[in-house]
Amino acid sequence: MASNSEAGGSADYETLMSTSDVELLKRAWRNEKAAPEILQYEGALVQRAKEQIELVEETIEDYVENGIDPLVVSLYQMDLDRAQFLLRSYLRVRLLKIEKFMFHNLKSEEAERRLSEQEKVFATRCADDLAKHFEETVLLKLPENYQSVLKQSLISEVDDMVPQPHLDTFVVCRSKNFVSLNLYEEGESPETVEMERGDLYFIRYKIVKGAIESGQIDLI
């Protein structure tokens, strides 16, 4: 009886933790970790990963209770540990970026659209708490013109006290397909770089930003 269960377990092993989803989660984590700004939240992927993790956890518990070969159980546990590590790392690096650029992420429509609903709540709470702390400890003791959390003074035309991601940061990337990229801003002398499949480049992030969002390029 046990041997039949073991055989069934081996046959179902690949379906319990989708290899493609694990690779997609690894890609999302690497891109998020290497990008200077927060990227689009991979909601569907995160949800599938959570469901697969729950399924493997239930399977491991069932196999342990039924005395399945410990080697089979250890294989499932290794797969589970890998998926949990990737998921936690992906979510953690996003939270770190939210904390670092909380005001920017909330005032920029583009950045805010990339956050999940839970991340928006987290960012709002962080911003409110930080603003309250600054006001109570420092700002209310300064002249009225210097009591803004976002500006150096009321005469400032922009929110010059808000940290923003440095999009000119250089990143290492690999092309997944043939890509032609413009190296300069609009209005400057046009010059392009052509990346073949598998090419590695050390290049400014804002040049490859669109290609990363479309899935043509991965960060390393």
PDB file of all heavy atoms in Angstrom, residues 109-139:
ATOM      1  N   GLU A 109       1.554  58.558  -9.466  1.00  0.00           N
ATOM      2  CA  GLU A 109       0.486  57.663  -9.919  1.00  0.00           C
ATOM      3  C   GLU A 109       1.059  56.387 -10.521  1.00  0.00           C
ATOM      4  O   GLU A 109       0.516  55.296 -10.323  1.00  0.00           O
ATOM      5  CB  GLU A 109      -0.404  58.377 -10.934  1.00  0.00           C
ATOM      6  CG  GLU A 109      -1.199  59.537 -10.357  1.00  0.00           C
ATOM      7  CD  GLU A 109      -2.120  60.163 -11.380  1.00  0.00           C
ATOM      8  OE1 GLU A 109      -2.178  59.645 -12.531  1.00  0.00           O
ATOM      9  OE2 GLU A 109      -2.800  61.158 -11.050  1.00  0.00           O
ATOM     10  N   GLU A 110       2.152  56.528 -11.259  1.00  0.00           N
ATOM     11  CA  GLU A 110       2.771  55.359 -11.891  1.00  0.00           C
ATOM     12  C   GLU A 110       3.266  54.371 -10.841  1.00  0.00           C
ATOM     13  O   GLU A 110       3.038  53.161 -10.956  1.00  0.00           O
ATOM     14  CB  GLU A 110       3.942  55.794 -12.774  1.00  0.00           C
ATOM     15  CG  GLU A 110       4.646  54.633 -13.462  1.00  0.00           C
ATOM     16  CD  GLU A 110       5.854  55.076 -14.268  1.00  0.00           C
ATOM     17  OE1 GLU A 110       6.176  56.281 -14.260  1.00  0.00           O
ATOM     18  OE2 GLU A 110       6.482  54.208 -14.916  1.00  0.00           O
ATOM     19  N   ALA A 111       3.943  54.881  -9.809  1.00  0.00           N
ATOM     20  CA  ALA A 111       4.462  54.003  -8.759  1.00  0.00           C
ATOM     21  C   ALA A 111       3.332  53.397  -7.937  1.00  0.00           C
ATOM     22  O   ALA A 111       3.374  52.214  -7.581  1.00  0.00           O
ATOM     23  CB  ALA A 111       5.416  54.777  -7.853  1.00  0.00           C
ATOM     24  N   GLU A 112       2.313  54.185  -7.643  1.00  0.00           N
ATOM     25  CA  GLU A 112       1.211  53.687  -6.820  1.00  0.00           C
ATOM     26  C   GLU A 112       0.449  52.570  -7.516  1.00  0.00           C
ATOM     27  O   GLU A 112      -0.025  51.625  -6.877  1.00  0.00           O
ATOM     28  CB  GLU A 112       0.264  54.834  -6.462  1.00  0.00           C
ATOM     29  CG  GLU A 112      -0.808  54.425  -5.456  1.00  0.00           C
ATOM     30  CD  GLU A 112      -1.709  55.584  -5.079  1.00  0.00           C
ATOM     31  OE1 GLU A 112      -1.789  56.555  -5.861  1.00  0.00           O
ATOM     32  OE2 GLU A 112      -2.349  55.503  -4.011  1.00  0.00           O
ATOM     33  N   ARG A 113       0.333  52.659  -8.840  1.00  0.00           N
ATOM     34  CA  ARG A 113      -0.370  51.611  -9.593  1.00  0.00           C
ATOM     35  C   ARG A 113       0.344  50.269  -9.506  1.00  0.00           C
ATOM     36  O   ARG A 113      -0.282  49.224  -9.718  1.00  0.00           O
ATOM     37  CB  ARG A 113      -0.521  52.019 -11.060  1.00  0.00           C
ATOM     38  CG  ARG A 113      -1.577  53.062 -11.333  1.00  0.00           C
ATOM     39  CD  ARG A 113      -1.940  53.100 -12.813  1.00  0.00           C
ATOM     40  NE  ARG A 113      -0.789  53.420 -13.636  1.00  0.00           N
ATOM     41  CZ  ARG A 113      -0.455  54.642 -14.013  1.00  0.00           C
ATOM     42  NH1 ARG A 113      -1.189  55.675 -13.633  1.00  0.00           N
ATOM     43  NH2 ARG A 113       0.604  54.852 -14.791  1.00  0.00           N
ATOM     44  N   ARG A 114       1.620  50.291  -9.197  1.00  0.00           N
ATOM     45  CA  ARG A 114       2.385  49.048  -9.126  1.00  0.00           C
ATOM     46  C   ARG A 114       2.234  48.329  -7.789  1.00  0.00           C
ATOM     47  O   ARG A 114       2.688  47.201  -7.644  1.00  0.00           O
ATOM     48  CB  ARG A 114       3.865  49.345  -9.371  1.00  0.00           C
ATOM     49  CG  ARG A 114       4.157  49.916 -10.748  1.00  0.00           C
ATOM     50  CD  ARG A 114       5.595  50.342 -10.842  1.00  0.00           C
ATOM     51  NE  ARG A 114       5.909  50.938 -12.138  1.00  0.00           N
ATOM     52  CZ  ARG A 114       6.981  51.657 -12.391  1.00  0.00           C
ATOM     53  NH1 ARG A 114       7.854  51.865 -11.420  1.00  0.00           N
ATOM     54  NH2 ARG A 114       7.188  52.156 -13.582  1.00  0.00           N
ATOM     55  N   LEU A 115       1.623  48.980  -6.828  1.00  0.00           N
ATOM     56  CA  LEU A 115       1.481  48.395  -5.497  1.00  0.00           C
ATOM     57  C   LEU A 115       0.213  47.559  -5.398  1.00  0.00           C
ATOM     58  O   LEU A 115      -0.801  47.858  -6.039  1.00  0.00           O
ATOM     59  CB  LEU A 115       1.438  49.492  -4.429  1.00  0.00           C
ATOM     60  CG  LEU A 115       2.599  50.493  -4.389  1.00  0.00           C
ATOM     61  CD1 LEU A 115       2.366  51.512  -3.278  1.00  0.00           C
ATOM     62  CD2 LEU A 115       3.927  49.787  -4.205  1.00  0.00           C
ATOM     63  N   SER A 116       0.267  46.529  -4.570  1.00  0.00           N
ATOM     64  CA  SER A 116      -0.946  45.780  -4.244  1.00  0.00           C
ATOM     65  C   SER A 116      -1.767  46.606  -3.263  1.00  0.00           C
ATOM     66  O   SER A 116      -1.292  47.598  -2.696  1.00  0.00           O
ATOM     67  CB  SER A 116      -0.590  44.430  -3.627  1.00  0.00           C
ATOM     68  OG  SER A 116      -0.011  44.620  -2.343  1.00  0.00           O
ATOM     69  N   GLU A 117      -3.009  46.216  -3.043  1.00  0.00           N
ATOM     70  CA  GLU A 117      -3.854  46.954  -2.104  1.00  0.00           C
ATOM     71  C   GLU A 117      -3.265  46.933  -0.693  1.00  0.00           C
ATOM     72  O   GLU A 117      -3.289  47.941   0.014  1.00  0.00           O
ATOM     73  CB  GLU A 117      -5.268  46.366  -2.099  1.00  0.00           C
ATOM     74  CG  GLU A 117      -6.037  46.587  -3.388  1.00  0.00           C
ATOM     75  CD  GLU A 117      -6.143  48.062  -3.762  1.00  0.00           C
ATOM     76  OE1 GLU A 117      -6.408  48.880  -2.863  1.00  0.00           O
ATOM     77  OE2 GLU A 117      -5.963  48.380  -4.944  1.00  0.00           O
ATOM     78  N   GLN A 118      -2.735  45.769  -0.293  1.00  0.00           N
ATOM     79  CA  GLN A 118      -2.114  45.679   1.029  1.00  0.00           C
ATOM     80  C   GLN A 118      -0.882  46.554   1.126  1.00  0.00           C
ATOM     81  O   GLN A 118      -0.624  47.174   2.165  1.00  0.00           O
ATOM     82  CB  GLN A 118      -1.749  44.220   1.336  1.00  0.00           C
ATOM     83  CG  GLN A 118      -2.922  43.283   1.473  1.00  0.00           C
ATOM     84  CD  GLN A 118      -3.302  42.643   0.144  1.00  0.00           C
ATOM     85  OE1 GLN A 118      -3.017  43.183  -0.930  1.00  0.00           O
ATOM     86  NE2 GLN A 118      -3.961  41.495   0.221  1.00  0.00           N
ATOM     87  N   GLU A 119      -0.120  46.646   0.034  1.00  0.00           N
ATOM     88  CA  GLU A 119       1.072  47.485   0.031  1.00  0.00           C
ATOM     89  C   GLU A 119       0.704  48.960   0.100  1.00  0.00           C
ATOM     90  O   GLU A 119       1.411  49.756   0.737  1.00  0.00           O
ATOM     91  CB  GLU A 119       1.911  47.197  -1.216  1.00  0.00           C
ATOM     92  CG  GLU A 119       2.609  45.843  -1.180  1.00  0.00           C
ATOM     93  CD  GLU A 119       3.300  45.500  -2.476  1.00  0.00           C
ATOM     94  OE1 GLU A 119       2.900  46.045  -3.538  1.00  0.00           O
ATOM     95  OE2 GLU A 119       4.235  44.690  -2.459  1.00  0.00           O
ATOM     96  N   LYS A 120      -0.388  49.349  -0.542  1.00  0.00           N
ATOM     97  CA  LYS A 120      -0.847  50.737  -0.468  1.00  0.00           C
ATOM     98  C   LYS A 120      -1.218  51.101   0.967  1.00  0.00           C
ATOM     99  O   LYS A 120      -0.896  52.195   1.447  1.00  0.00           O
ATOM    100  CB  LYS A 120      -2.044  50.951  -1.390  1.00  0.00           C
ATOM    101  CG  LYS A 120      -1.715  50.881  -2.868  1.00  0.00           C
ATOM    102  CD  LYS A 120      -2.968  51.053  -3.717  1.00  0.00           C
ATOM    103  CE  LYS A 120      -2.656  50.894  -5.198  1.00  0.00           C
ATOM    104  NZ  LYS A 120      -3.880  51.006  -6.040  1.00  0.00           N
ATOM    105  N   VAL A 121      -1.897  50.195   1.649  1.00  0.00           N
ATOM    106  CA  VAL A 121      -2.259  50.429   3.052  1.00  0.00           C
ATOM    107  C   VAL A 121      -1.000  50.561   3.902  1.00  0.00           C
ATOM    108  O   VAL A 121      -0.884  51.459   4.741  1.00  0.00           O
ATOM    109  CB  VAL A 121      -3.145  49.285   3.578  1.00  0.00           C
ATOM    110  CG1 VAL A 121      -3.353  49.422   5.088  1.00  0.00           C
ATOM    111  CG2 VAL A 121      -4.485  49.270   2.857  1.00  0.00           C
ATOM    112  N   PHE A 122      -0.042  49.674   3.677  1.00  0.00           N
ATOM    113  CA  PHE A 122       1.217  49.713   4.419  1.00  0.00           C
ATOM    114  C   PHE A 122       1.959  51.020   4.175  1.00  0.00           C
ATOM    115  O   PHE A 122       2.451  51.665   5.110  1.00  0.00           O
ATOM    116  CB  PHE A 122       2.087  48.524   4.016  1.00  0.00           C
ATOM    117  CG  PHE A 122       3.456  48.515   4.630  1.00  0.00           C
ATOM    118  CD1 PHE A 122       3.616  48.183   5.974  1.00  0.00           C
ATOM    119  CD2 PHE A 122       4.580  48.823   3.886  1.00  0.00           C
ATOM    120  CE1 PHE A 122       4.875  48.165   6.558  1.00  0.00           C
ATOM    121  CE2 PHE A 122       5.838  48.813   4.445  1.00  0.00           C
ATOM    122  CZ  PHE A 122       5.992  48.481   5.796  1.00  0.00           C
ATOM    123  N   ALA A 123       2.051  51.434   2.903  1.00  0.00           N
ATOM    124  CA  ALA A 123       2.759  52.669   2.560  1.00  0.00           C
ATOM    125  C   ALA A 123       2.081  53.879   3.189  1.00  0.00           C
ATOM    126  O   ALA A 123       2.748  54.791   3.707  1.00  0.00           O
ATOM    127  CB  ALA A 123       2.821  52.828   1.042  1.00  0.00           C
ATOM    128  N   THR A 124       0.742  53.909   3.161  1.00  0.00           N
ATOM    129  CA  THR A 124       0.005  55.032   3.749  1.00  0.00           C
ATOM    130  C   THR A 124       0.235  55.114   5.246  1.00  0.00           C
ATOM    131  O   THR A 124       0.458  56.204   5.803  1.00  0.00           O
ATOM    132  CB  THR A 124      -1.498  54.894   3.455  1.00  0.00           C
ATOM    133  OG1 THR A 124      -1.700  54.862   2.037  1.00  0.00           O
ATOM    134  CG2 THR A 124      -2.272  56.054   4.051  1.00  0.00           C
ATOM    135  N   ARG A 125       0.194  53.973   5.921  1.00  0.00           N
ATOM    136  CA  ARG A 125       0.421  53.961   7.370  1.00  0.00           C
ATOM    137  C   ARG A 125       1.840  54.404   7.706  1.00  0.00           C
ATOM    138  O   ARG A 125       2.059  55.174   8.653  1.00  0.00           O
ATOM    139  CB  ARG A 125       0.153  52.560   7.924  1.00  0.00           C
ATOM    140  CG  ARG A 125      -1.318  52.169   7.950  1.00  0.00           C
ATOM    141  CD  ARG A 125      -1.509  50.761   8.484  1.00  0.00           C
ATOM    142  NE  ARG A 125      -2.915  50.402   8.558  1.00  0.00           N
ATOM    143  CZ  ARG A 125      -3.359  49.194   8.897  1.00  0.00           C
ATOM    144  NH1 ARG A 125      -2.481  48.227   9.196  1.00  0.00           N
ATOM    145  NH2 ARG A 125      -4.652  48.948   8.944  1.00  0.00           N
ATOM    146  N   CYS A 126       2.804  53.915   6.936  1.00  0.00           N
ATOM    147  CA  CYS A 126       4.199  54.311   7.168  1.00  0.00           C
ATOM    148  C   CYS A 126       4.378  55.812   6.988  1.00  0.00           C
ATOM    149  O   CYS A 126       5.030  56.481   7.798  1.00  0.00           O
ATOM    150  CB  CYS A 126       5.131  53.554   6.211  1.00  0.00           C
ATOM    151  SG  CYS A 126       5.425  51.837   6.637  1.00  0.00           S
ATOM    152  N   ALA A 127       3.808  56.356   5.913  1.00  0.00           N
ATOM    153  CA  ALA A 127       3.934  57.785   5.628  1.00  0.00           C
ATOM    154  C   ALA A 127       3.263  58.619   6.714  1.00  0.00           C
ATOM    155  O   ALA A 127       3.818  59.634   7.164  1.00  0.00           O
ATOM    156  CB  ALA A 127       3.331  58.097   4.260  1.00  0.00           C
ATOM    157  N   ASP A 128       2.081  58.192   7.126  1.00  0.00           N
ATOM    158  CA  ASP A 128       1.364  58.929   8.179  1.00  0.00           C
ATOM    159  C   ASP A 128       2.141  58.903   9.489  1.00  0.00           C
ATOM    160  O   ASP A 128       2.259  59.926  10.181  1.00  0.00           O
ATOM    161  CB  ASP A 128      -0.028  58.336   8.386  1.00  0.00           C
ATOM    162  CG  ASP A 128      -0.953  58.611   7.204  1.00  0.00           C
ATOM    163  OD1 ASP A 128      -0.622  59.477   6.379  1.00  0.00           O
ATOM    164  OD2 ASP A 128      -1.995  57.929   7.101  1.00  0.00           O
ATOM    165  N   ASP A 129       2.654  57.744   9.861  1.00  0.00           N
ATOM    166  CA  ASP A 129       3.402  57.617  11.111  1.00  0.00           C
ATOM    167  C   ASP A 129       4.686  58.442  11.080  1.00  0.00           C
ATOM    168  O   ASP A 129       5.045  59.100  12.072  1.00  0.00           O
ATOM    169  CB  ASP A 129       3.736  56.147  11.393  1.00  0.00           C
ATOM    170  CG  ASP A 129       2.510  55.332  11.769  1.00  0.00           C
ATOM    171  OD1 ASP A 129       1.471  55.936  12.088  1.00  0.00           O
ATOM    172  OD2 ASP A 129       2.588  54.084  11.723  1.00  0.00           O
ATOM    173  N   LEU A 130       5.386  58.406   9.940  1.00  0.00           N
ATOM    174  CA  LEU A 130       6.635  59.158   9.828  1.00  0.00           C
ATOM    175  C   LEU A 130       6.371  60.661   9.847  1.00  0.00           C
ATOM    176  O   LEU A 130       7.101  61.420  10.503  1.00  0.00           O
ATOM    177  CB  LEU A 130       7.364  58.776   8.541  1.00  0.00           C
ATOM    178  CG  LEU A 130       8.776  59.357   8.372  1.00  0.00           C
ATOM    179  CD1 LEU A 130       9.688  58.884   9.498  1.00  0.00           C
ATOM    180  CD2 LEU A 130       9.374  58.949   7.017  1.00  0.00           C
ATOM    181  N   ALA A 131       5.336  61.098   9.132  1.00  0.00           N
ATOM    182  CA  ALA A 131       4.992  62.518   9.120  1.00  0.00           C
ATOM    183  C   ALA A 131       4.614  62.995  10.518  1.00  0.00           C
ATOM    184  O   ALA A 131       5.036  64.079  10.957  1.00  0.00           O
ATOM    185  CB  ALA A 131       3.841  62.760   8.151  1.00  0.00           C
ATOM    186  N   LYS A 132       3.842  62.191  11.229  1.00  0.00           N
ATOM    187  CA  LYS A 132       3.447  62.547  12.599  1.00  0.00           C
ATOM    188  C   LYS A 132       4.664  62.636  13.508  1.00  0.00           C
ATOM    189  O   LYS A 132       4.789  63.555  14.329  1.00  0.00           O
ATOM    190  CB  LYS A 132       2.455  61.511  13.129  1.00  0.00           C
ATOM    191  CG  LYS A 132       1.967  61.800  14.535  1.00  0.00           C
ATOM    192  CD  LYS A 132       0.971  60.744  14.990  1.00  0.00           C
ATOM    193  CE  LYS A 132       0.494  61.030  16.408  1.00  0.00           C
ATOM    194  NZ  LYS A 132      -0.472  59.982  16.878  1.00  0.00           N
ATOM    195  N   HIS A 133       5.590  61.692  13.359  1.00  0.00           N
ATOM    196  CA  HIS A 133       6.804  61.691  14.177  1.00  0.00           C
ATOM    197  C   HIS A 133       7.640  62.938  13.906  1.00  0.00           C
ATOM    198  O   HIS A 133       8.123  63.594  14.842  1.00  0.00           O
ATOM    199  CB  HIS A 133       7.622  60.437  13.877  1.00  0.00           C
ATOM    200  CG  HIS A 133       8.965  60.416  14.529  1.00  0.00           C
ATOM    201  ND1 HIS A 133       9.129  60.255  15.894  1.00  0.00           N
ATOM    202  CD2 HIS A 133      10.224  60.554  14.011  1.00  0.00           C
ATOM    203  CE1 HIS A 133      10.426  60.283  16.187  1.00  0.00           C
ATOM    204  NE2 HIS A 133      11.104  60.464  15.061  1.00  0.00           N
ATOM    205  N   PHE A 134       7.828  63.289  12.620  1.00  0.00           N
ATOM    206  CA  PHE A 134       8.609  64.478  12.262  1.00  0.00           C
ATOM    207  C   PHE A 134       7.962  65.750  12.811  1.00  0.00           C
ATOM    208  O   PHE A 134       8.646  66.655  13.310  1.00  0.00           O
ATOM    209  CB  PHE A 134       8.755  64.584  10.744  1.00  0.00           C
ATOM    210  CG  PHE A 134       9.789  63.661  10.175  1.00  0.00           C
ATOM    211  CD1 PHE A 134       9.776  63.342   8.821  1.00  0.00           C
ATOM    212  CD2 PHE A 134      10.770  63.099  10.973  1.00  0.00           C
ATOM    213  CE1 PHE A 134      10.735  62.492   8.280  1.00  0.00           C
ATOM    214  CE2 PHE A 134      11.724  62.244  10.446  1.00  0.00           C
ATOM    215  CZ  PHE A 134      11.709  61.942   9.099  1.00  0.00           C
ATOM    216  N   GLU A 135       6.633  65.812  12.692  1.00  0.00           N
ATOM    217  CA  GLU A 135       5.928  67.006  13.159  1.00  0.00           C
ATOM    218  C   GLU A 135       6.062  67.179  14.674  1.00  0.00           C
ATOM    219  O   GLU A 135       6.309  68.283  15.165  1.00  0.00           O
ATOM    220  CB  GLU A 135       4.447  66.922  12.767  1.00  0.00           C
ATOM    221  CG  GLU A 135       4.215  67.082  11.268  1.00  0.00           C
ATOM    222  CD  GLU A 135       2.786  66.801  10.882  1.00  0.00           C
ATOM    223  OE1 GLU A 135       1.998  66.412  11.773  1.00  0.00           O
ATOM    224  OE2 GLU A 135       2.446  66.961   9.681  1.00  0.00           O
ATOM    225  N   GLU A 136       5.897  66.089  15.406  1.00  0.00           N
ATOM    226  CA  GLU A 136       5.927  66.173  16.864  1.00  0.00           C
ATOM    227  C   GLU A 136       7.324  66.414  17.415  1.00  0.00           C
ATOM    228  O   GLU A 136       7.489  67.051  18.456  1.00  0.00           O
ATOM    229  CB  GLU A 136       5.344  64.892  17.469  1.00  0.00           C
ATOM    230  CG  GLU A 136       3.853  64.717  17.196  1.00  0.00           C
ATOM    231  CD  GLU A 136       3.328  63.408  17.756  1.00  0.00           C
ATOM    232  OE1 GLU A 136       4.164  62.549  18.151  1.00  0.00           O
ATOM    233  OE2 GLU A 136       2.096  63.236  17.788  1.00  0.00           O
ATOM    234  N   THR A 137       8.339  65.904  16.728  1.00  0.00           N
ATOM    235  CA  THR A 137       9.699  65.999  17.254  1.00  0.00           C
ATOM    236  C   THR A 137      10.505  67.171  16.704  1.00  0.00           C
ATOM    237  O   THR A 137      11.390  67.692  17.390  1.00  0.00           O
ATOM    238  CB  THR A 137      10.474  64.696  16.981  1.00  0.00           C
ATOM    239  OG1 THR A 137      10.501  64.456  15.564  1.00  0.00           O
ATOM    240  CG2 THR A 137       9.820  63.515  17.683  1.00  0.00           C
ATOM    241  N   VAL A 138      10.220  67.590  15.456  1.00  0.00           N
ATOM    242  CA  VAL A 138      11.062  68.613  14.831  1.00  0.00           C
ATOM    243  C   VAL A 138      10.265  69.740  14.177  1.00  0.00           C
ATOM    244  O   VAL A 138      10.441  70.913  14.512  1.00  0.00           O
ATOM    245  CB  VAL A 138      11.995  67.988  13.765  1.00  0.00           C
ATOM    246  CG1 VAL A 138      12.838  69.073  13.084  1.00  0.00           C
ATOM    247  CG2 VAL A 138      12.883  66.926  14.383  1.00  0.00           C
ATOM    248  N   LEU A 139       9.390  69.409  13.247  1.00  0.00           N
ATOM    249  CA  LEU A 139       8.812  70.402  12.349  1.00  0.00           C
ATOM    250  C   LEU A 139       8.018  71.491  13.061  1.00  0.00           C
ATOM    251  O   LEU A 139       8.110  72.676  12.700  1.00  0.00           O
ATOM    252  CB  LEU A 139       7.929  69.697  11.309  1.00  0.00           C
ATOM    253  CG  LEU A 139       8.665  68.760  10.350  1.00  0.00           C
ATOM    254  CD1 LEU A 139       7.686  68.088   9.393  1.00  0.00           C
ATOM    255  CD2 LEU A 139       9.714  69.526   9.548  1.00  0.00           C
TER     256      LEU A 139
END
